[in-house]
Amino acid sequence: MRKTVVIGGGASGMTAAIAAAEKGSEVVLLEKNEKLGKKLFITGKGRCNLTNFCDEETFIKNVISNPYFLYSAIYTYGCRDVMAMVEGEGVKLKVERGNRVFPVSDKSYDIIDAFKRRLKSAKVKVVLNCNVKELKQENGLVVSAVTSKGEFKADSFIVATGGVSYPSTGSTGDGYKFAEKAGHTVTERFPSLVGLKADNFCKSLEGLSLKNVAITALVEGKTVYKDFGEMLFTGGGVSGPVILSASSYVTQHIGKDVQILIDFKPALTFEALDKRVLRDFEEFKNKEFKNALFKLLPSAIIPIIIKAADISEDKQVNSITKEERHRLVKTLKGFRLNITGTEGFERAVITKGGVNVKEVDPSTMASKLIPNLFFSGEVLDCDALTGGFNLQIAFSTGRLAGLNS
């Protein structure tokens, strides 16, 4: 019987192990942690955003790095296949806003338990607390995995070790070392789907959430991404869904001139917002300017907007000029945040960069350099926007690697 060793017991590794076992291989799954699915446990804030319920073409459009590499994987094992597998193990699912798929229970461990049951029924041997130190090679093939629990020999090896995001879950870049030793190129890595550090004033707004705002991400003045939705001010900058998505486009440019423009009133044109401001000014014409914006904005951000618009906060509303009013409207439609950094790999949902996909067969996930070595999941240079897409990449590439190992 053919033997397969899978390194990494996360979403991709478990999927790969199940696929390899169900096609008839004897499979050993090696996991460095004390339990399986440690990162899966914290995804979706502990609810597990399992996948995104969309068609394949929509899925590909949400992939940032190397989308076309994933065609075979996504068409072989898409969102409906993952959902069918999980539901087949007794876990009910629901589809929420943005086609995000969650367990009805909102408990990520229900998803992990479903995978554990499937691993057990497929007769996969799981070895926990097993740190893989080296993949030993002979005659152009990998022959064994040298670990803290001995040497495991096999006919094929699947590296599904994840990236370097959330290292506390065991994602410490082991797979990159294995890949490089095997002769593979590993592209530069950046934290992605991560909060961004910004101007110092953000600290005074910590905890402030803005809904229904539009953002534009700029690099050296060029628009790289636009989004609409919810954002959050943190102690050091900004986060929230629209910012996490924007980070996918700017994280590799940190150090350059990176800015986020916030449109606080995206439903209104400049002219319509100007009329709205004019109405408020008429209502509060005898107040000081700083006390006339509470209908437009949360109180915490008013002083910052006033400063950005370069208008004296103590000025009487009825003495504000048309030019000053237009400066205020312009600020509300395009408030600039200077991005100075990211929250780093410790807080990043995923890793951008990884094993160069030009050196991996997209139809099998096999190395083009070592035929019995396979890669799947976050260790590859593939990443997508938030919304369940990255987990689906893990499942799809894992399935393909397992079937072909």
Side-chain angles (χ1 to χ4, degrees), residues 16-178:
I18 290 165
E22 290 181 347
K23 70 155 184 125
S25 290
E26 182 184 316
V27 181
V28 177
L29 175 58
L30 309 178
E31 168 54 47
K32 71 191 295 187
N33 287 313
E34 74 285 358
K35 57 186 176 184
L36 296 171
K38 206 165 182 180
K39 189 174 178 184
L40 199 58
F41 183 74
I42 61 172
T43 58
K45 296 179 180 176
R47 296 173 61 219
C48 192
N49 182 187
L50 182 69
T51 184
N52 192 281
F53 190 66
C54 65
D55 60 62
E56 290 82 3
E57 291 303 318
T58 300
F59 187 95
I60 293 297
K61 286 176 184 174
N62 281 274
V63 178
I64 310 298
S65 305
N66 301 305
Y68 300 113
F69 173 79
L70 294 168
Y71 260 107
S72 290
I74 295 300
Y75 276 96
T76 297
Y77 197 67
C79 65
R80 288 164 181 79
D81 301 304
V82 173
M83 291 169 71
M85 192 284 278
V86 171
E87 288 178 323
E89 292 297 331
V91 179
K92 292 181 179 178
L93 300 173
K94 59 182 175 180
V95 180
E96 295 188 359
R97 179 181 54 82
N99 291 322
R100 290 165 163 83
V101 179
F102 293 91
V104 169
S105 66
D106 285 331
K107 305 293 183 188
S108 56
Y109 57 73
D110 284 342
I111 300 294
I112 297 167
D113 286 346
F115 275 90
K116 285 181 180 177
R117 288 193 290 274
R118 194 62 169 261
L119 286 165
K120 188 175 181 181
S121 63
K123 295 183 171 56
V124 172
K125 181 183 178 183
V126 177
V127 184
L128 300 173
N129 297 304
C130 183
N131 187 23
V132 178
K133 300 173 181 177
E134 176 192 5
L135 294 184
K136 197 180 285 187
Q137 297 177 49
E138 288 178 14
N139 302 319
L141 296 173
V142 177
V143 293
S144 70
V146 180
T147 82
S148 56
K149 291 198 170 182
E151 195 168 341
F152 293 84
K153 295 183 178 182
D155 301 294
S156 56
F157 296 79
I158 301 173
V159 175
T161 48
V164 285
S165 56
Y166 275 112
S168 59
T169 63
S171 300
T172 52
D174 298 345
Y176 304 135
K177 297 172 193 169
F178 302 148

Side-chain angles (χ1 to χ4, degrees), residues 205-210 231-234 298 300-301:
L205 300 175
E206 185 173 3
L208 175 64
S209 177
L210 299 175
M231 64 173 286
L232 172 74
F233 285 93
T234 64
I301 205 168

Side-chain angles (χ1 to χ4, degrees), residues 217-235:
L218 303 172
V219 175
E220 305 285 2
K222 182 182 176 184
T223 298
V224 295
Y225 187 67
K226 290 186 174 184
D227 204 354
F228 172 86
E230 186 176 347
M231 64 173 286
L232 172 74
F233 285 93
T234 64

Side-chain angles (χ1 to χ4, degrees), residues 284-305:
F284 305 120
K285 60 186 176 184
N286 296 318
K287 287 181 176 284
E288 291 179 330
F289 180 45
K290 63 186 176 187
N291 298 320
L293 299 178
F294 65 91
K295 282 190 172 182
L296 272 175
L297 295 163
S299 58
I301 205 168
I302 288 173
I304 291 158
I305 295 297

Side-chain angles (χ1 to χ4, degrees), residues 175-231:
Y176 304 135
K177 297 172 193 169
F178 302 148
E180 286 176 332
K181 190 173 180 189
H184 278 273
T185 308
V186 177
T187 64
E188 191 173 357
R189 279 133 285 159
F190 304 91
S192 195
L193 298 186
V194 66
L196 300 173
K197 292 181 179 178
D199 301 274
N200 291 335
F201 68 75
C202 290
K203 184 155 184 62
S204 66
L205 300 175
E206 185 173 3
L208 175 64
S209 177
L210 299 175
K211 294 183 178 179
N212 303 318
V213 295
I215 64 131
T216 302
L218 303 172
V219 175
E220 305 285 2
K222 182 182 176 184
T223 298
V224 295
Y225 187 67
K226 290 186 174 184
D227 204 354
F228 172 86
E230 186 176 347
M231 64 173 286

